[in-house]
Structure formats: structure tokens, C-alpha cells
């Protein structure tokens, strides 16, 4: 006789496990099928403010503190020291055959207050922890179990697996690109703007770039580039350096390294190995060659073809695709886990809210938002790759990324603080589409800037100068553009380390802005209320408070 469950989940990666944890905590019977076993290698290692805030919201809304464990360095006493810290995004622009020009560098410092800096996740540890958490809350997890077929009827979902036959009321496919449901229903869509492939591994003996290139003092950066996620960018691609050994308490010598290349400019060379192709490529850039000449890979190299995909639809009656099963664009800007956790959060809410109603129509808001996230990421990444061809262009386009991330984070945080119920929270964030916090003025700005980039011939220097001036004027015309971003447009090479200033609290010109901006992001909240929220968060998420709460 088939074993019956409320919810079946395919895939026990970090998204699938979080979904299982939430639903099990809420009293659902949950079964998870995992074709491999934990611990296992995974990438998607760099956290961002939006991802961490989504985790804090889920932890609060569903009363599962473990969901927030990877949202800040302040949780290290609870999660261990195999993870790295992330105090910034750093970008070094390179030209082939030339040493890196310090004037073509930027460090986007991540605020330390009130939650602490972000993390570089050592995914085999974080994912295994989340699987164990799902089990502790009551989910049944079958590892080393392959799902061979799924039959969806009007009354149930029937699952054939190597562990036997099972049935469920609803199935969530968190199986990534190889999603069995995407393949079964031929849902894949490859009509996307971004065209990139990747070569990656984990390494040891990766030096801090400042040991082989220009010093931190030369750049004038608040932090060493090794204390965050380093992006080496160049025409048609970029290279990530994500160290796990970048703080004194680290017990992990590894560093994640990956090369992303536009397939149209740099088609795969199948006559040489992945390692040989990586080494040959970085040798084009003197500073990259120096940084990687004595490094050693500790696992097999992975080389892919084009990695972009989406879905024509992400749900049907009694099923939904979750996170990277729905789509993926590129690791640039570390948006992948934000897309995944937003999917988890929204889908879990709809499953619990619409008890017993598993029709596709009921879950339509989830599909609309998930596809909007993928489409927004695709356009942002495609135009960033294009802007890498000319540093002048990248220097202004990156401000759109900064502004989009900042406003998204502010909307997420204010929504959590204002919401009295889960319904309140999800009504607030229904407007989100990855960047801009659902603010109409941001959407209009992004549309204008992206259109300028898409219509530009980057090989026409005069046209580039014109577009750079146009984009700069569009930014400077905003009365809600943060002062730090204005300074970036004037050439400042980093965001300030100390974000706190009394100037931010001014009624009209401060952090909370005025008019439609203040209404949209803060619901016209008064400054004293913001100060109270800040202090409450600072105490609640301090390491001392977190450790005491666990004891």
C-alpha cells in the first residue's frame, strides 16, 4: 500500500530543505526525495542583504529560528567556523594584457549594523544542517533515492521511486535544472538575454589579491578585497573569488573560484581540459595570472555550456517548481539564493493559506513573482556583461544594481517590521520583482537605463560617452538617490564603512526620504520609530542575544 503524505518535495538542497522545514513545522506530513546524499558539494555561496532579510522574515513568520542561522556572521557560534565572512562586494576591472588600473576598482561595503556582516556559505555544511533541521521538525527524508516517475491526477500525486511508491496531495520540485516535472511537461524556456558558461572549483593557497597586486592602501578601500566577494570583471565575463578562510576563527582553508564567460565571445574549447582553459584564460590578464599561479584545486574542475534557463510556466494543478527548478541566470550579484528563498517563502505561505485547494489558479501569484524575478535578473546580468566592455559604462551601470539592491532590502525589512500577520507581510512584498523594492519610480528609471544600454554600440566611444552622461543625469535627477551613490557617480571608489550618521535622520533629506518614496518604503513612519526599530534589531540579532536564546 502506498504511503500517503500531504506534501512531497523532490530535492533536499537548501531551498527544498527549508520548504520541508516550514511545512513540517506547520503540521504537514512531508516527504523529501534526494537522489544523492549529504554532505555534498554545491555552489551559490555568497549571501546578500536581500537573501538574509528573507531568511529573518521566514524565521519570524514561521517561528523557526534555524532559518535565520545563515543570515549573518553573528550566528557563527551556532553554525561553526567553516564559513567565510562577507563585508563587501569588490569589483576590479581588467583589460587584456594590462595591469589592473586602481582607478577602475570599486568596493560596495555591506552595512555591519544592525544585523552584522554577511557570510560566504560552505554549502556542504549549510545544506546538511538544513536537511537535519527539516528532519528534526518532522519531515521524512529519503537520501540516495531516485524518483523515476510522477503521475498527477485530479485527486493526488503518485510518485515512483527507488524507495517504493508514494502519494501526496501536492508536489514541489526543487530539483534544479534537471527538474523531473520541467522535463515531463516540457516547460523549459531558453529565450533569455544572458549567454554565459562557467568553469569552477574549490582551491587552496589562493592569496589575498593584495599580496600579488596593488595593496589595500593603493586602492583606498575600507577592507581587504579578501574580506568579501571579489569580482574580477573584463569584457565578456568575470571571475569570482569567494574565500572561506578570510577571518581569524576560520577552520576552512578553501576558496571558491569560478570563471564566467559569454559563450558568444568565448565558446568552449573542447580540445583542452577545464583546468587548462581556466589557466590559459587568466594568463591573458597579468594580475590574474599572478594571483592564481600557485593555487591548487582540491576537487575536480566543472565546466558547463550555457547555464541560463527559465520556464514557460512554474506550476500546474497539484505541482510547482521551486527556486532553481524554475530558472537560473548567472552567479553575478549573488541573486540566486534570494530568488530561491523568495520562492520558498511565497510558495509555503500559499500552500498553508489555501488549505486543500491545489489548483494552478490558486498559486498564480507565486508563478508571476517567480518569473518576474528571473526576468529581472536576466536583464540586469545581460546589461552588466555588456557594460563590462567599457569601464566608463560599468561605472554608471553598477549604480543601478546598487540602487536596486538597496531599495529591495529596505522594502523587505520595513515589510517585516510592519507586518502583524503573515498575510500582512505577503501583501507588502507582492510587488517585488528582485530589484527596486516594487517602487514605480525605480521601475521607470531601470527601464530607461536598460533601454539605453541595450541600444548602445559599445565599440562606439562617442556613443558610450553620450550614454554615460545620459545615465548619470537620470540618477542625479532623483531626489531619493542616497548620498553615497551620488558620491560614487562622482568617482568615489567605495561605499562608506560607517553607514550611521545623524544626517540620515533628517525629515526630508535623510534615509527615509519624502513623498512617494517615504510612503512606499516606510508608510510615512516617523524617524523615532525607525530609531526604535534599529535598536531593537541590533539587540535581537547581536551574537550575545543569539547565543543566550539558544542556551
Amino acid at each position: 500500500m502506498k504511503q500517503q503524505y500531504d506534501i512531497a518535495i523532490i530535492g533536499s538542497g537548501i531551498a527544498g530543505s527549508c520548504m520541508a522545514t516550514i511545512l513540517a513545522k506547520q503540521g504537514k506530513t512531508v516527504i523529501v526525495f534526494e537522489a544523492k546524499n549529504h554532505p555534498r558539494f554545491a555552489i551559490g555561496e555568497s549571501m546578500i542583504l536581500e537573501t538574509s532579510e528573507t531568511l529573518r522574515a521566514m524565521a519570524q513568520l514561521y517561528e523557526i529560528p534555524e532559518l535565520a542561522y545563515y543570515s549573518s556572521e553573528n550566528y557563527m557560534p551556532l553554525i561553526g567556523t567553516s564559513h567565510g565572512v562577507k563585508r563587501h562586494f569588490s569589483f576590479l576591472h581588467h583589460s587584456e594584457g594590462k595591469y589592473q588600473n586602481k582607478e577602475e576598482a570599486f568596493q560596495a561595503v555591506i552595512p555591519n549594523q544592525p544585523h552584522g556582516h554577511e557570510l560566504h556559505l560552505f554549502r556542504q555544511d549549510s545544506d546538511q544542517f538544513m536537511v537535519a533541521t527539516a528532519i528534526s521538525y518532522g519531515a521524512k527524508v529519503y537520501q540516495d533515492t531516485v524518483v523515476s516517475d510522477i503521475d498527477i491526477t485530479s485527486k493526488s500525486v503518485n510518485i515512483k521511486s527507488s524507495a517504493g511508491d508514494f502519494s501526496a496531495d501536492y508536489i514541489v520540485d526543487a530539483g534544479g535544472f534537471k527538474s523531473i516535472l520541467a522535463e515531463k511537461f516540457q516547460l523549459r524556456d531558453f529565450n533569455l538575454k544572458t549567454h554565459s558558461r562557467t568553469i569552477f572549483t574549490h582551491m587552496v593557497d589562493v592569496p589575498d589579491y593584495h599580496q600579488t597586486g596593488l595593496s589595500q592602501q593603493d586602492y583606498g578601500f575600507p577592507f581587504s578585497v579578501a574580506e568579501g566577494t571579489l569580482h574580477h570583471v573584463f569584457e565578456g565575463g568575470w571571475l569570482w573569488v569567494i574565500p572561506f578562510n578570510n577571518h581569524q576563527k576560520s577552520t576552512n582553508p578553501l576558496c571558491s573560484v569560478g570563471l564566467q564567460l559569454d559563450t558568444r565571445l568565448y565558446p568552449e574549447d573542447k580540445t583542452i581540459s577545464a583546468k587548462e582553459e581556466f589557466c590559459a584564460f587568466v594568463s591573458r590578464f597579468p594580475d590574474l595570472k599572478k594571483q592564481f599561479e600557485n593555487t591548487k584545486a582540491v576537487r575536480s574542475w566543472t565546466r558547463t555550456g550555457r547555464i541560463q534557463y527559465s520556464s514557460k510556466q512554474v506550476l500546474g494543478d497539484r505541482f510547482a517548481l521551486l527556486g532553481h527548478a524554475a530558472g537560473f541566470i548567472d552567479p553575478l550579484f549573488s541573486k540566486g539564493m534570494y530568488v530561491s528563498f523568495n520562492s520558498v517563502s511565497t510558495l509555503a505561505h500559499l500552500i498553508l493559506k489555501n488549505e486543500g485547494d491545489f489548483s494552478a489558479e490558486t498559486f498564480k501569484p507565486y508563478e508571476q513573482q517567480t518569473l518576474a524575478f528571473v526576468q529581472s535578473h536576466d536583464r540586469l546580468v545581460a546589461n552588466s556583461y555588456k557594460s563590462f566592455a567599457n569601464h566608463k559604462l560599468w561605472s554608471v551601470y553598477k549604480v543601478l544594481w546598487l540602487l536596486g539592491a538597496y531599495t529591495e532590502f529596505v522594502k523587505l525589512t520595513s515589510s517585516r517590521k510592519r507586518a502583524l500577520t503573515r498575510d500582512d507581510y505577503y501583501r507588502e512584498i507582492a510587488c517585488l520583482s528582485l530589484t527596486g523594492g516594487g517602487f514605480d519610480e525605480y521601475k521607470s528609471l531601470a527601464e530607461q537605463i536598460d533601454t539605453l544600454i541595450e541600444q548602445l554600440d559599445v565599440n562606439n566611444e562617442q556613443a558610450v560617452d553620450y550614454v554615460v552622461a545620459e545615465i548619470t543625469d537620470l540618477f542625479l535627477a532623483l531626489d531619493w538617490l542616497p548620498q553615497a551613490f551620488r558620491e560614487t557617480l562622482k568617482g568615489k571608489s567605495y561605499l562608506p564603512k560607517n553607514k550611521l550618521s545623524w544626517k540620515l535622520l533628517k525629515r526630508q533629506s535623510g534615509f527615509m526620504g519624502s513623498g512617494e518614496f517615504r510612503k512606499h518604503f516606510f508608510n510615512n513612519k516617523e524617524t523615532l520609530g525607525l530609531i526604535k526599530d534599529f535598536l531593537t534589531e541590533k539587540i535581537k540579532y547581536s551574537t550575545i542575544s543569539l547565543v543566550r536564546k539558544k542556551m
Side-chain angles (χ1 to χ4, degrees):
M1 186 176 178
K2 292 179 184 177
Q3 296 182 53
Q4 172 69 34
Y5 290 84
D6 294 328
I7 308 293
I9 299 173
I10 301 175
S12 66
I14 199 165
S17 294
C18 284
M19 175 66 78
T21 300
I22 292 170
L23 297 177
K25 172 66 164 59
Q26 299 298 313
K28 298 295 183 184
T29 56
V30 180
I31 184 169
V32 182
F33 299 97
E34 172 54 55
K36 299 178 182 178
N37 57 63
H38 293 273
R40 69 180 192 196
F41 175 76
I43 58 171
E45 299 146 323
S46 177
M47 294 292 286
I48 59 175
L49 292 169
E50 304 96 290
T51 309
S52 294
E53 176 51 37
T54 301
L55 291 176
R56 283 189 288 272
M58 290 194 295
Q60 177 179 313
L61 294 168
Y62 298 105
E63 299 180 335
I64 305 171
E66 294 90 343
L67 294 181
Y69 276 18
Y70 296 99
S71 65
S72 158
E73 63 178 341
N74 292 352
Y75 282 93
M76 275 199 178
L78 303 181
I79 62 175
T81 52
S82 62
H83 310 283
V85 297
K86 179 178 177 178
R87 310 196 192 288
H88 57 75
F89 285 86
S90 285
F91 296 87
L92 304 181
H93 191 275
H94 298 262
S95 297
E96 191 167 336
K98 298 179 181 179
Y99 285 98
Q100 206 283 321
N101 179 354
K102 69 179 182 179
E103 302 302 321
E104 298 183 353
F106 183 74
Q107 186 169 95
V109 176
I110 295 169
N112 182 40
Q113 302 293 341
H115 303 112
H117 281 127
E118 301 294 317
L119 292 169
H120 289 158
L121 299 189
F122 188 49
R123 287 288 300 275
Q124 72 175 49
D125 287 359
S126 59
D127 290 22
Q128 184 176 30
F129 173 83
M130 287 313 306
V131 171
T133 301
I135 293 170
S136 74
Y137 278 95
K140 178 68 176 179
V141 178
Y142 282 87
Q143 299 192 63
D144 293 309
T145 301
V146 176
V147 173
S148 56
D149 192 28
I150 299 170
D151 179 40
I152 301 176
T153 72
S154 61
K155 295 183 177 180
S156 67
V157 179
N158 301 301
I159 304 143
K160 290 186 179 293
S161 78
S162 55
D165 295 348
F166 302 85
S167 63
D169 293 328
Y170 196 79
I171 188 164
V172 177
D173 191 336
F177 174 69
K178 295 182 180 179
S179 157
I180 188 171
L181 290 177
E183 182 176 345
K184 182 181 182 71
F185 296 119
Q186 299 183 329
L187 301 180
R188 283 289 172 248
D189 179 10
F190 299 98
N191 184 26
L192 296 159
K193 298 176 183 293
T194 308
H195 292 258
S196 66
R197 63 185 181 94
T198 185
I199 304 171
F200 63 85
T201 189
H202 278 175
M203 292 180 169
V204 292
D205 298 333
V206 179
D208 182 335
Y209 175 82
H210 297 309
Q211 296 173 359
T212 59
L214 295 174
S215 69
Q216 180 184 342
Q217 291 71 31
D218 288 331
Y219 286 110
F221 286 164
F223 295 104
S224 159
V225 294
E227 292 182 84
T229 304
L230 173 58
H231 303 68
H232 294 294
V233 301
F234 42 81
E235 182 177 8
W238 64 286
L239 187 154
W240 80 70
V241 183
I242 302 176
F244 305 110
N245 62 343
N246 62 351
H247 57 99
Q248 289 185 344
K249 295 181 180 180
S250 174
T251 54
N252 186 346
L254 300 182
C255 180
S256 178
V257 176
L259 178 63
Q260 296 288 129
L261 299 172
D262 189 318
T263 57
R264 297 162 297 186
L265 290 179
Y266 308 110
E268 181 180 350
D269 185 351
K270 296 182 178 180
T271 66
I272 57 177
S273 69
K275 177 183 177 181
E276 290 170 331
E277 185 178 11
F278 177 90
C279 293
F281 192 89
V282 299
S283 293
R284 302 181 183 195
F285 306 93
D287 287 307
L288 294 186
K289 181 179 180 181
K290 287 170 66 178
Q291 186 177 17
F292 291 101
E293 61 185 355
N294 294 315
T295 59
K296 306 177 187 70
V298 300
R299 59 175 295 109
S300 299
W301 289 80
T302 298
R303 177 168 58 180
T304 72
R306 186 189 180 201
I307 59 175
Q308 289 71 42
Y309 61 92
S310 184
S311 300
K312 299 167 189 172
Q313 64 187 73
V314 301
L315 53 80
D317 292 344
R318 295 190 180 273
F319 81 86
L321 308 185
L322 184 72
H324 293 166
F328 181 77
I329 301 302
D330 191 276
L332 187 61
F333 306 126
S334 305
K335 301 286 190 185
M337 280 199 288
Y338 174 41
V339 174
S340 292
F341 285 127
N342 176 269
S343 295
V344 171
S345 183
T346 303
L347 183 59
H349 173 65
L350 290 172
I351 289 173
L352 295 168
K353 179 181 178 181
N354 299 290
E355 186 71 36
D357 183 353
F358 302 113
S359 65
E361 189 61 32
T362 297
F363 293 88
K364 213 62 175 169
Y366 166 76
E367 179 173 68
Q368 292 168 348
Q369 190 170 64
T370 297
L371 291 178
F373 269 55
V374 173
Q375 290 162 4
S376 294
H377 195 200
D378 183 34
R379 197 175 193 187
L380 177 66
V381 170
N383 286 336
S384 294
Y385 269 73
K386 187 171 183 178
S387 74
F388 291 162
N390 188 307
H391 179 261
K392 289 183 291 185
L393 193 61
W394 164 240
S395 69
V396 293
Y397 190 72
K398 73 173 185 286
V399 178
L400 185 65
W401 158 64
L402 289 168
L403 187 59
Y406 162 72
T407 47
E408 189 85 355
F409 173 64
V410 171
K411 182 63 175 178
L412 286 164
T413 304
S414 63
S415 296
R416 173 172 61 86
K417 296 301 294 183
R418 286 206 304 270
L420 299 177
T421 66
R422 284 208 297 262
D423 282 343
D424 290 344
Y425 177 77
Y426 289 102
R427 273 195 298 270
E428 283 284 339
I429 68 165
C431 62
L432 300 183
S433 57
L434 188 79
T435 62
F439 189 41
D440 286 341
E441 289 187 36
Y442 173 86
K443 293 177 185 177
S444 175
L445 173 75
E447 178 62 34
Q448 293 177 76
I449 291 174
D450 281 323
T451 299
L452 285 168
I453 296 287
E454 288 159 356
Q455 294 176 348
L456 175 66
D457 176 4
V458 293
N459 296 311
N460 184 332
E461 197 70 21
Q462 185 176 359
V464 168
D465 289 341
Y466 173 80
V467 167
V468 167
E470 284 285 299
I471 293 174
T472 301
D473 288 345
L474 286 170
F475 281 127
L476 294 178
L478 302 175
D479 60 7
W480 48 274
L481 183 72
Q483 182 60 33
F485 298 170
R486 291 181 182 275
E487 293 173 2
T488 294
L489 288 167
K490 295 175 183 177
K492 191 169 184 178
S493 64
Y494 61 89
L495 296 182
K497 182 177 181 178
N498 182 8
K499 311 280 195 224
L500 302 178
S501 168
W502 287 110
K503 293 180 181 179
L504 295 176
L505 302 178
K506 288 186 176 181
R507 185 68 177 85
Q508 296 295 321
S509 61
F511 165 76
M512 298 176 75
S514 60
E516 289 301 313
F517 183 88
R518 190 184 188 99
K519 180 180 178 181
H520 179 81
F521 289 101
F522 299 102
N523 199 26
N524 292 320
K525 190 170 190 172
E526 292 301 322
T527 303
L528 284 177
L530 179 68
I531 295 172
K532 181 181 176 181
D533 286 348
F534 177 88
L535 294 174
T536 301
E537 294 278 290
K538 183 175 173 61
I539 294 169
K540 180 179 179 180
Y541 291 102
S542 68
T543 298
I544 292 175
S545 295
L546 296 172
V547 171
R548 282 180 177 172
K549 193 178 298 184
K550 180 66 176 175
M551 294 172 64

